Amino acid sequence: MDNRQSDMTNQVSEFPTERTFRYQHSLPPLPVPSLEGSLANYLDAVRPFATEEEYQVTAAVVKRFGEGIGKDLHQKLLQRARTRRNWLEEWWLNAAYLEMRYPSQLNVNFGGPAPYLEHCWPPTEGVQLQRTSISMWHTLQYWDLLRTNLQLSI
């Protein structure tokens, strides 16, 4: 058994139950990616969808952004990161979940009950409300477990 496994075994033996957010305080703050890295990743993502001419125009726009307002915005992100452990969390929760005006169960929560579970929950007419209610109940139960810092047995 290597040292990592031994450490994990000792930890599990020493702490038979774990609290959901027990190690939250020991996590490092969320780093702000470099501006240069973000711009390069963006260009890599755009390349397959653009003609060579479109790509060159996009690369020029990205370069101007990186040398202009992008620098200022990146500095603001760095400043925000100095005052919060997770500079993205509030924006992520709002933009990804709270500001949407379409069904999040189907469009955001890809881990919940969905059509790919047809083998155990066959499609039937007239049961949408029942399925939505069951899905929502389970989702809220899980949310409650996380937010009340449930003790989980390992």
Side-chain angles (χ1 to χ4, degrees), residues 80 88-100:
R80 181 177 172 91
L88 182 60
E89 182 177 34
E90 180 184 351
W91 292 338
W92 176 256
L93 291 175
N94 287 337
Y97 301 106
L98 303 176
E99 293 174 357
M100 295 185 325

Side-chain angles (χ1 to χ4, degrees), residues 95-153:
Y97 301 106
L98 303 176
E99 293 174 357
M100 295 185 325
R101 291 296 169 234
Y102 48 87
S104 62
Q105 183 67 30
L106 301 174
N107 295 289
V108 176
N109 182 12
F110 303 111
Y116 57 83
L117 296 175
E118 289 178 358
H119 63 284
C120 63
W121 202 351
T124 308
E125 278 193 45
V127 295
Q128 285 180 316
L129 184 58
Q130 176 188 9
R131 288 181 185 208
T132 301
S133 299
I134 291 169
S135 176
M136 197 62 179
W137 185 85
H138 283 287
T139 301
L140 290 172
Q141 291 297 310
Y142 180 71
W143 183 88
D144 186 54
L145 291 175
L146 287 175
R147 292 298 161 205
T148 56
N149 205 11
L150 172 76
Q151 287 191 343
L152 301 173
S153 295

Side-chain angles (χ1 to χ4, degrees), residues 18-72:
E18 293 285 336
R19 296 191 79 71
T20 305
F21 297 105
R22 178 184 180 139
Y23 300 105
Q24 191 76 15
H25 69 280
S26 64
L27 295 173
L30 183 68
V32 176
S34 73
L35 178 59
E36 297 76 19
S38 295
L39 298 178
N41 287 341
Y42 176 74
L43 288 174
D44 287 346
V46 166
R47 186 175 282 281
F49 303 102
T51 65
E52 187 56 35
E53 182 181 334
E54 292 168 331
Y55 181 78
Q56 293 306 320
V57 169
T58 302
V61 170
V62 167
K63 183 177 182 191
R64 280 195 312 273
F65 176 83
E67 293 169 350
I69 193 169
K71 278 185 176 180
D72 297 333

